[in-house]
Amino acid sequence: MATAGWCALGLVALVLLLAVAFLLRIRVLASSVGSFECALRPAGTARLMSGVAAFGDEAITWHRLVSLSPWPRYRMAREVFEINESHPRGADGRVIDVSCTVGGQRLELAMLEDSHSALVAWLESAAPSQPRLF
């Protein structure tokens, strides 16, 4: 009987530890500079996956919301990121659906209107590429 009690207590402690790790991960991702809510759907799938994206110097990283992984699921480099079309969704039109191609792979993104404006500005703000001498 005592062994079952310790196992149950250990299981509760493990669940609490995982919950704290999950919430801490979300807090760190959402509070980083340049992060925004962004749902993602790879071509050929039916459902959007909720996530947090963050602008970097040369790439956008996308982390799946329901995960414990500290590493991004997608890394979308600016030099191969291309917006195909964008259109508002819903009655108020505050959410923008963005169809894009990243290195030949088609993706659908859903984000708030302000995040879409930031995405367009980030893409357009790339420094011009210089030819290499060597």
Side-chain angles (χ1 to χ4, degrees), residues 71-83:
W71 296 282
R73 180 108 180 235
Y74 287 92
R75 185 180 183 283
M76 300 170 269
R78 185 189 334 231
E79 62 190 21
V80 294
F81 194 106
E82 184 178 319
I83 294 178

Side-chain angles (χ1 to χ4, degrees), residues 5 10 18 20 22 30 32 34 42 45-46 60 62-64 68 82-85 88 90 95 98 102-103 116 129 132:
L18 288 173
V20 168
F22 175 74
S32 65
T45 59
I60 295 174
W62 185 85
H63 296 262
R64 189 173 180 149
L68 289 174
E82 184 178 319
I83 294 178
N84 300 329
E85 63 178 317
V95 175
V98 179
V102 181
H116 176 260
S129 60
R132 294 189 168 204

Side-chain angles (χ1 to χ4, degrees), residues 41-116:
R41 176 179 33 229
T45 59
R47 291 181 23 166
L48 284 166
M49 297 181 288
S50 296
V52 175
F55 295 110
D57 291 338
E58 296 302 321
I60 295 174
T61 55
W62 185 85
H63 296 262
R64 189 173 180 149
L65 190 62
V66 182
S67 173
L68 289 174
S69 174
W71 296 282
R73 180 108 180 235
Y74 287 92
R75 185 180 183 283
M76 300 170 269
R78 185 189 334 231
E79 62 190 21
V80 294
F81 194 106
E82 184 178 319
I83 294 178
N84 300 329
E85 63 178 317
S86 305
H87 53 88
R89 175 172 37 143
D92 60 1
R94 290 187 33 177
V95 175
I96 307 293
D97 285 331
V98 179
S99 173
C100 59
T101 307
V102 181
Q105 180 183 14
R106 289 189 51 93
L107 297 171
E108 301 287 330
L109 304 174
M111 62 191 71
L112 293 174
E113 190 174 19
D114 292 342
S115 300
H116 176 260

